[in-house]
Amino acid sequence: MNDSILGLHHITAIANNAQRNYDFYTQVLGLRMVKKTVNFDDPTTYHFYYGNEQGSPGTILTFFPWEGIGPGRNGVGMATEIGYSVPADSLENWAERFRAAGVSTGEPAERFGERYLPFTDPDGLALTLIVPQQPDSRSAWVTSAVGQDIATRGFHGITLTLQKIDATATILTDIFGYRLQGQEGNRYRFRTDSVAEAAIVDLLEEPDRQLGRNAAGTNHHVAFRVADDRVQMEFREKILSRGLQITPQIDRDYFFSLYFREPGGVLFEIATDHPGFTVDEPLAELGTHLKLPKQYTASRDRIEKALPVLRVR
Ligand code: ZN
């Protein structure tokens, strides 16, 4: 078994309106909704999971759509940009697609020798589509509008904005097994060699930037992937030995999780592959039913009435 951190597992962000979030990620970006459940700590709020067909680790973007929540602010102590890997020569197509859908985009540019297109979701969450130097071998979820030639393959990487990068860099290199791959200006690229994809964490050092504020359009936490419980518990010991606090293992129904705040202020999670999203729905039906954790199944009627209506296309 691989004892390393296996790149990114999932990223969790905050949205306002559930329908708008669903429409953007499934229709415009062409992701599959692989699970529709509720926030386990607040079952009047949805928890949406988007990914590839199986919801493979390294492809999963999740949202808490809090109806009516105001916009947050990207800043220090946060994950500030989500990078998706896309096929070569697809950026023009995407730019055209975004223009037609009224999505706000930045100018295409290049970083570490890779072309990328920045854009924001309807809540202002910052994302980029990136053409990786090494072609991405992962299979894509395709829709009638987003075909194999342009479909996202999963995460390329995540950017964290920090006042100073040192302490966070040490967690990445000394505990997680990442190495510094390069630097461009104030952006430091770290990569793990344990996996080919979803292997990148960029640290952006911005000493004068304001602290971020978590609300709509910002990321809540970044989850890293481990092979199994044993490896997860080894990482728990390593984090504790650095004098940091970390939660006990928590059952998230689709994976098991540990949470800790890294020294730069970003909430990190360490999550297992198992049991995965087919634990309570067959592969062909992922995301089509409202799934509730067992503590809420007796209150299903009340919970369904309290949740906003979601029109699924
Ligand atoms: Zn999480």
Side-chain angles (χ1 to χ4, degrees):
M1 259 335 230
N2 196 323
D3 289 354
S4 310
I5 291 287
L6 304 172
L8 297 172
H9 184 285
H10 67 268
I11 297 164
T12 293
I14 300 170
N16 180 341
N17 182 257
Q19 186 73 51
R20 192 173 65 172
N21 179 265
Y22 173 84
D23 289 346
F24 183 81
Y25 285 96
T26 61
Q27 307 297 302
V28 179
L29 211 53
L31 304 180
R32 184 181 196 194
M33 178 181 260
V34 294
K35 197 62 65 183
K36 178 171 61 175
T37 180
V38 293
N39 182 338
F40 288 9
D41 303 315
D42 167 17
T44 64
T45 302
Y46 282 117
H47 192 181
F48 293 158
Y49 291 77
Y50 304 104
N52 67 359
E53 183 184 16
Q54 300 84 9
S56 307
T59 76
I60 312 158
L61 178 58
T62 100
F63 286 92
F64 296 120
W66 269 301
E67 219 58 39
I69 191 174
R73 181 180 65 219
N74 252 351
V76 159
M78 258 186 188
T80 48
E81 188 189 278
I82 296 167
Y84 271 102
S85 165
V86 292
D89 303 322
S90 66
L91 292 185
E92 271 306 307
N93 263 316
W94 276 109
E96 185 51 45
R97 185 170 170 72
F98 286 156
R99 255 191 304 277
V103 176
S104 118
T105 60
E107 287 300 312
E110 195 170 309
R111 234 182 235 161
F112 300 100
E114 296 174 330
R115 298 278 297 162
Y116 71 95
L117 174 68
F119 66 103
T120 52
D121 85 353
D123 287 298
L125 187 71
L127 301 109
T128 56
L129 299 177
I130 303 165
V131 177
Q133 274 182 330
Q134 300 296 327
D136 197 315
S137 64
R138 292 173 291 183
S139 63
W141 173 252
V142 296
T143 68
S144 55
V146 179
Q148 197 66 238
D149 55 329
I150 67 165
T152 62
R153 263 46 179 183
F155 296 132
H156 176 271
I158 183 79
T159 299
L160 314 181
T161 297
L162 304 161
Q163 200 160 48
K164 273 186 71 61
I165 69 157
D166 307 45
T168 307
T170 300
I171 299 286
L172 290 179
T173 56
D174 294 11
I175 301 184
F176 283 8
Y178 283 59
R179 63 183 169 81
L180 179 63
Q181 187 192 341
Q183 178 191 355
E184 282 188 5
N186 62 341
R187 179 177 292 268
Y188 298 77
R189 173 152 295 185
F190 291 82
R191 172 187 287 272
T192 176
D193 296 315
S194 65
V195 284
E197 279 110 15
I200 288 169
V201 178
D202 279 356
L203 302 185
L204 199 58
E205 189 164 74
E206 299 202 33
D208 300 323
R209 188 148 167 202
Q210 274 185 302
L211 280 178
R213 191 165 49 79
N214 241 180
T218 62
N219 290 301
H220 187 262
H221 64 265
V222 178
F224 292 86
R225 175 185 173 204
V226 286
D228 58 27
D229 290 349
R230 181 186 58 80
V231 181
Q232 188 181 41
M233 286 305 131
E234 286 173 7
F235 276 103
R236 187 168 190 276
E237 289 308 311
K238 289 178 197 168
I239 303 295
L240 284 171
S241 75
R242 297 274 163 157
L244 296 169
Q245 296 190 1
I246 186 164
T247 66
Q249 192 191 55
I250 297 172
D251 182 356
R252 290 303 185 193
D253 278 16
Y254 310 108
F255 39 84
F256 292 87
S257 298
L258 303 172
Y259 300 86
F260 73 102
R261 201 166 289 281
E262 59 82 27
V266 184
L267 186 60
F268 277 4
E269 175 178 346
I270 298 175
T272 61
D273 276 15
H274 70 96
F277 294 103
T278 52
V279 70
D280 60 0
E281 278 175 311
L283 183 61
E285 294 172 21
L286 288 184
T288 60
H289 314 101
L290 177 69
K291 305 308 294 187
L292 297 175
K294 56 181 176 304
Q295 63 269 35
Y296 297 133
T297 48
S299 327
R300 175 173 281 274
D301 287 353
R302 191 167 51 79
I303 287 172
E304 285 186 349
K305 282 198 190 79
L307 287 167
V309 173
L310 186 71
R311 292 183 313 280
V312 172
R313 291 167 226 271

